[in-house]
Amino acid sequence: MLLRVLFSLSALSLSIAAHAAATDTLDTPRLVGIDNFRDIAGTTSAYTAANDGTLRSGVFYRSNALTPQGTDLAVLDSLGISNVYDLRTPSEIAATPDTLPTGAEYQNIDIIGSTTSGSNVTNISFTSAAQAVAMMEETNRAFVSDAGMRSQFSVLFNELAAADGAALFHCTAGKDRTGWTAAVLLSIAGVDSTTIMENYLATNDYTAARVAATLAAMPSSMAAIYAPLLGVQASYLQAGLDEVTAEYGSMDNYLKEGLGLSQETLYVLRGKMVFYNSLPGTAGLLGNAASGAQLLSELQNSSLSGDYTAYNYYLQSAIDAGTLGGVEATVGGQVHADAASYLLRQGALLDRAAAPFASGTDLKIGQYRLWTTALAGYQGTDGSSRAASSNEHTQGMMVGLTQRFSEQLSAHAGIGYSRGSVGAASGDVDTDLTFLKAGGRFAFETLERGLFLEAGVSGGRLDYDSKRELGGGLGTAKGDTDGTLTGASLALGYRLPLSGVILEPSLGVRVSHLDLDGFQEKGSELALEVDGIKETRRSAVANLKASFAPVGLGAGWQLTPALEVGYEHALGDHQVDSQGHLLGLDIEQRAAFDSRDQFSGAFSLNAGLGAFSVGAEVGVIGGGDSHGASGNLKASYAF
C-alpha cells in the first residue's frame, strides 16, 4: 500500500502537462489548468439513476488540484461553488496550493493521513508495470479496509451532505481518492455499475495530454513501468468494489457500518444529486391526488430537497418503498375545499330547521310564537378517482320569534349557532357559526290558503380551525381564520287545504355566499398558505310539504304528522375549490361533494297542548355519491 508513489507522480504530471481541447458538447467546461475538472452528473449528458431518476448538474464537481490558468478561475467563479474539499496530504498541498473560487469555503480532509498507505516514497521501487498495477489495486482496497481512511471518508460524505451550495472535491490528479469518492456518490444516487465504471475511466480521456507529456519526459524504460500510476484501469476501482462486497456484503452496509453514515445523510446526498422524473404509484392518478403528487414532485426543486428535512426523508423513503404512502391525497388540503362546500350548503339546513314556525299560518292576527329548535345533521360523500371521501357533522340550536301581522302577512326572526365538523383526506375542520335569520311570508289572499311569496335572509360570523395529518413523518399542519356566511332565499308557493291534509308546493331560489379569510398553516414543512375563499352557490329549489290533520291523544294533546320532500339544483359552476401555496408552488383541490342535484325527505311529528307544542323531525339527504341524514327537536309557545 504505497500511495505516495502515486501522489508524487501525479504531482509531476501536473507540473509538465498540456491540456485537452475544450469540447462544446460537455455539460461542464474543460479547464486549461485543471484538466480533470468535471461534473459527476455526467460527461456528455446527465446520467440516469434507478427509479426513473436523472442526475442533477451543478451539485458536485470532481477535479485534480486547483491550478487555474487563463479564464479558468472566472469559469469556476460562475458555477456557484460554495465549498472545496481538498483530499490531499499536507505535503501535497504545500507543493501545489489551491487557487480557490471566489467565496468558496476551503476544508482539507486528508484521506490517507498517517496510515500505512503513506510509507516513505524513498523506500518504494518498482521493477515492472504489474507491480504498479498491483499497488493501485491495493490502494483502492485500502479505501475500504483501512480504518483511518474510512474515518476520513466519513467526514467527507457528511460534509458533502451539509454543503449549502455546489461542492468541489479533489486530490492531486483527481483520479484515485477523488475517483473513489465519485464512484461512491454515484452508487448512492442509484447509477448503474457500468456507468460508474465509465465515469471512473473518463479520467484517461480528460488527462490524456497531460499523461502523455509526463511519460514523454521519462526514460522509456521508466515510463513503461510507471504508466499505470498516471491513469486509471477498471481493475483499480473493481478491487475497491470487491473489497466492499468481501468485508460488508453490500455498498449500503459499507456506507452505514464502515463509514457510519446515517440513512438520513444518505438520503440527503441522494436528494441533492437525483431528480425523479416520475414518483412511484402516480401513474393513472386523477384529480386531487394527481395535484398532490405533482406538488410532491415539484418540491424536489425546492429548498426542502437534498437537505436534512422531513420532506427529503419522506420522499427518498417513498422512492425506496415504491409508494407515496397516501401523502399525495393529504398534501393538497382537500379538506379546505370540503369545508367551504359544506358551509355553502348550511343555508338549506337552517331553512329546514326553522320551516315549521316560519309561516305563521297557525297564529291569529297579532299573535306571537316563541320557538326553539335543536338541529343536527350528517352528510358523507364517497371517494372517487377525483377526490377522497368526506364527511360532515352539524349540531346547533336556534331560538326565534314569529308574528302574524295581518290576514296576509307574517314574519320571523331568530338567532342561533351551528357547529360543524368536516373530515377529508386526513384533515379536519371545525367551524363555529353564530348567525341571525329573518324572513316573512306574504299571501295574496290569506295565509291559510292560496298563493304566497316567502323570503328569508341570514348572516353570520364564522370561526374556522383546521388540522391536517399529512402522514409520511411530515407532521401536522394547523390553521385558523374567520369569515362570514350570508344567504337569502325566495320562493313562490301555494297552500291547498284538502280533506285531512294540507299540501304546500313551492318553487324558489337560494343563494349562499362564503367569505373566508386566507391564512398560513403551521406545524409542518408542508404547511400551506391557504388563499381566502370567496364562493357563491346559487340553486333552484322545489319543495312539497304535506301536513296531516291532527290526531287527538287525550288530555287535550294533539299529534300532527307531516311529510316533506325537496329537490335542489345548483346553478352555474357548482364545484368548490381551494387554492394553496408552498414555496412558490401552487396546489388546487376540489371538494368531494360535486353533485349538482340533491334530494331530501323528512318526516315530523308535532305534539301540541293549547299554546305549547313539542316535536321532532328526521330526514334523509342524497344526491350523486352523497348521502346523509338530519334531525331536530322543537318546542314552541304561542302568546
Side-chain angles (χ1 to χ4, degrees):
M1 296 188 293
L2 307 174
L3 282 174
R4 289 195 189 278
V5 170
L6 167 65
F7 303 146
S8 297
L9 290 174
S10 296
L12 174 63
S13 68
L14 278 174
S15 66
I16 300 176
H19 67 276
T23 305
D24 293 337
T25 56
L26 292 176
D27 288 334
T28 48
R30 295 234 183 173
L31 302 181
V32 175
I34 316 171
D35 60 1
N36 208 10
F37 172 82
R38 47 199 164 104
D39 194 320
I40 74 161
T43 51
T44 59
S45 60
Y47 296 142
T48 59
N51 300 306
D52 197 24
T54 300
L55 263 67
R56 306 174 192 264
S57 61
V59 176
F60 294 135
Y61 295 100
R62 54 175 293 177
S63 79
N64 44 345
L66 301 184
T67 54
Q69 300 177 20
T71 62
D72 288 351
L73 188 57
V75 172
L76 288 176
D77 287 344
S78 71
L79 298 178
I81 295 172
S82 64
N83 296 83
V84 171
Y85 301 101
D86 189 341
L87 312 186
R88 298 177 296 171
T89 62
S91 60
E92 292 175 276
I93 295 170
T96 313
D98 278 346
T99 300
L100 297 176
T102 302
E105 180 179 336
Y106 175 86
Q107 184 174 351
N108 174 221
I109 303 175
D110 181 2
I111 295 297
I112 67 167
S114 58
T115 68
T116 55
S117 302
S119 301
N120 191 314
V121 69
T122 59
N123 297 327
I124 302 169
S125 62
F126 295 106
T127 59
S128 69
Q131 289 180 342
V133 169
M135 192 202 78
M136 294 305 302
E137 293 172 353
E138 183 59 25
T139 295
N140 280 265
R141 293 188 191 97
F143 292 153
V144 179
S145 61
D146 190 289
M149 292 192 192
R150 289 199 307 272
S151 175
Q152 293 297 84
F153 276 120
S154 177
V155 173
L156 173 61
F157 288 118
N158 277 296
E159 290 294 333
L160 289 171
D164 289 332
L168 183 152
F169 56 91
H170 77 89
C171 52
T172 296
K175 66 184 185 69
D176 299 308
R177 290 159 290 187
T178 297
W180 179 253
T181 301
V184 172
L185 285 172
L186 292 176
S187 178
I188 292 170
V191 174
D192 65 87
S193 58
T194 299
T195 303
I196 292 174
M197 185 61 74
E198 289 174 355
N199 179 271
Y200 179 76
L201 294 177
T203 283
N204 293 332
D205 296 327
Y206 277 78
T207 64
R210 168 163 54 88
V211 170
T214 301
L215 293 175
M218 295 181 181
S220 58
S221 58
M222 182 180 180
I225 294 173
Y226 287 96
L229 300 178
L230 300 182
V232 292
Q233 297 181 21
S235 66
Y236 303 170
L237 177 61
Q238 193 60 52
L241 297 174
D242 290 344
E243 188 71 9
V244 166
T245 302
E247 290 203 25
Y248 296 99
S250 68
M251 178 63 74
D252 191 62
N253 287 342
Y254 163 69
L255 294 168
K256 293 176 181 176
E257 298 173 13
L259 302 187
L261 301 180
S262 67
Q263 184 65 70
E264 187 176 15
T265 294
L266 296 177
Y267 280 164
V268 169
L269 289 169
R270 195 169 76 180
K272 283 178 178 289
M273 291 186 285
V274 184
F275 180 88
Y276 293 98
N277 304 291
S278 62
L279 300 184
T282 58
L285 287 180
L286 300 173
N288 291 346
S291 296
Q294 181 67 25
L295 177 63
L296 292 172
S297 179
E298 291 175 349
L299 284 170
Q300 292 182 87
N301 289 327
S302 76
S303 58
L304 296 179
S305 185
D307 206 343
Y308 288 91
T309 63
Y311 163 78
N312 189 78
Y313 195 93
Y314 155 74
L315 187 70
Q316 300 303 323
S317 298
I319 295 296
D320 287 343
T323 174
L324 295 179
V327 174
E328 70 278 10
T330 65
V331 68
Q334 177 191 317
V335 72
H336 299 306
D338 284 305
S341 175
Y342 159 78
L343 289 166
L344 287 168
R345 289 178 276 114
Q346 279 294 285
L349 182 64
L350 299 182
D351 285 350
R352 285 197 300 271
F357 311 112
S359 66
T361 56
D362 59 337
L363 297 176
K364 298 176 182 179
I365 296 174
Q367 191 175 22
Y368 295 87
R369 180 175 293 278
L370 180 65
W371 51 268
T372 182
T373 177
L375 54 97
Y378 163 81
Q379 187 163 343
T381 301
D382 297 336
S384 65
S385 60
R386 187 189 54 76
S389 62
S390 70
N391 60 82
E392 307 162 0
H393 295 83
T394 303
Q395 59 179 355
M397 178 170 286
M398 182 166 30
V399 177
L401 184 69
T402 302
Q403 182 181 9
R404 182 167 181 172
F405 294 99
S406 68
E407 186 72 20
Q408 297 172 280
L409 179 64
S410 68
H412 71 275
I415 186 171
Y417 72 90
S418 173
R419 292 178 179 170
S421 174
V422 180
S426 295
D428 294 287
V429 168
D430 292 325
T431 64
D432 286 329
L433 175 67
T434 304
F435 62 88
L436 294 170
K437 179 173 172 54
R441 177 179 287 199
F442 174 78
F444 292 89
E445 297 179 10
T446 175
L447 291 177
E448 281 73 24
R449 68 178 63 85
L451 198 64
F452 65 85
L453 190 66
E454 191 168 66
V457 294
S458 64
R461 187 68 182 172
L462 179 68
D463 289 325
Y464 183 100
D465 290 281
S466 67
K467 180 176 69 175
R468 297 190 298 122
E469 301 289 348
L470 296 175
L474 294 168
T476 303
K478 297 180 180 180
D480 61 85
T481 188
D482 52 36
T484 59
L485 180 66
T486 56
S489 62
L490 181 66
L492 182 65
Y494 193 89
R495 184 175 172 86
L496 179 62
L498 297 173
S499 177
V501 64
I502 300 174
L503 297 179
E504 197 171 280
S506 65
L507 292 173
V509 293
R510 179 181 291 114
V511 178
S512 295
H513 178 73
L514 173 66
D515 192 342
L516 192 68
D517 293 339
F519 61 98
Q520 174 67 60
E521 295 179 326
K522 298 178 180 179
S524 169
E525 291 172 354
L526 302 192
L528 296 173
E529 180 184 351
V530 181
D531 282 357
I533 299 176
K534 293 178 173 58
E535 290 273 1
T536 300
R537 177 182 171 87
R538 301 173 180 87
S539 57
V541 180
N543 282 293
L544 175 61
K545 182 177 181 180
S547 300
F548 298 95
V551 177
L553 296 179
W557 285 92
Q558 288 188 316
L559 186 66
T560 305
L563 287 173
E564 184 174 358
V565 293
Y567 168 66
E568 186 168 348
H569 178 78
L571 305 173
D573 184 7
H574 64 287
Q575 296 170 335
V576 180
D577 300 327
S578 67
Q579 287 81 36
H581 312 281
L582 175 61
L583 299 176
L585 301 172
D586 301 330
I587 180 72
E588 180 175 287
Q589 298 279 273
R590 181 167 292 177
F593 180 87
D594 66 350
S595 178
R596 186 182 292 276
D597 301 306
Q598 188 163 11
F599 301 88
S600 61
F603 173 74
S604 63
L605 282 174
N606 189 69
L609 177 63
F612 175 72
S613 71
V614 293
E617 179 183 276
V618 292
V620 293
I621 309 167
D625 295 324
S626 182
H627 46 83
S630 63
N632 51 67
L633 299 175
K634 310 171 189 297
S636 72
Y637 186 81
F639 56 95

